[in-house]
Amino acid sequence: MNLRNCSRCGKMFNYIGGQPICEPCKKAIEEDFQRVKAYIQDNPGADLKQIAEDNEVTTKQIQQWVREERLMFSENSPLQMTCEKCGDRILTGRFCAKCKAAMANNLNNTFAKPQPAIQQPVKQDKKAGMRFLDT
Ligand SMILES: [Zn+2]
Ligand SMILES: [Zn+2]
């Protein structure tokens, strides 16, 4: 058992991972999310404060959903989210497509593992070469 206080209602609950939020609160947040999502579709011109007030959620919560790429603003939305790296305007997530691509490249380089598919042919070539030398 890993008991924690729910970060939303403060009750103790059995923490299983992810955000420290209890099950009933998770459900309530999910309902809020669905409502906000539908609201943004119906009111693409609404700003953050208006969305928060009309749906009784915090602006912070809405921004968090956007950062998690669960919510996406429309092209003509007055809402401004900016790339955390270069400051470009984005509609969802934390980074613009450009920075994301650059970071994905960096990650691939950092965690690049030796590829067995590439190493094997090299081994075979060596064997073939040795066999060739033997004869
Ligand atoms: Zn809770
Ligand atoms: Zn960027």
Side-chain angles (χ1 to χ4, degrees):
M1 285 282 263
N2 182 9
L3 285 177
R4 276 223 206 171
N5 286 97
C6 169
S7 68
R8 188 170 180 270
C9 70
K11 279 191 194 137
M12 291 276 265
F13 73 107
N14 188 18
Y15 179 70
I16 40 165
Q19 289 183 315
I21 293 168
C22 72
E23 279 306 313
C25 283
K26 266 188 197 160
K27 272 201 194 117
I29 290 172
E30 188 55 34
E31 278 166 21
D32 283 346
F33 170 70
Q34 295 300 341
R35 201 167 61 236
V36 168
K37 199 175 149 193
Y39 180 91
I40 289 177
Q41 274 162 6
D42 292 344
N43 306 278
D47 64 24
L48 203 59
K49 206 166 154 264
Q50 193 185 341
I51 299 168
E53 277 175 8
D54 285 355
N55 293 282
E56 291 173 1
V57 295
T58 61
T59 53
K60 217 177 121 200
Q61 175 68 77
I62 296 167
Q63 279 169 316
Q64 193 192 322
W65 283 326
V66 176
R67 292 297 191 201
E68 287 170 357
E69 298 191 21
R70 297 189 68 195
L71 273 185
M72 191 171 172
F73 298 137
S74 62
E75 273 294 342
N76 50 8
S77 162
L79 298 172
Q80 296 277 336
M81 296 294 287
T82 49
C83 170
E84 288 183 8
K85 222 173 157 88
C86 72
D88 262 9
R89 191 186 170 210
I90 52 174
L91 297 173
T92 190
R94 300 175 59 193
F95 305 104
C96 67
K98 220 169 43 203
C99 291
K100 256 194 218 170
M103 279 186 289
N105 277 341
N106 283 342
L107 276 184
N108 284 346
N109 291 341
T110 314
F111 296 110
K113 285 175 197 152
Q115 297 278 334
I118 293 169
Q119 278 184 339
Q120 256 167 3
V122 174
K123 260 185 208 164
Q124 275 164 4
D125 281 355
K126 263 185 198 163
K127 266 185 205 159
M130 278 170 76
R131 228 177 273 144
F132 179 74
L133 282 176
D134 286 342
T135 45

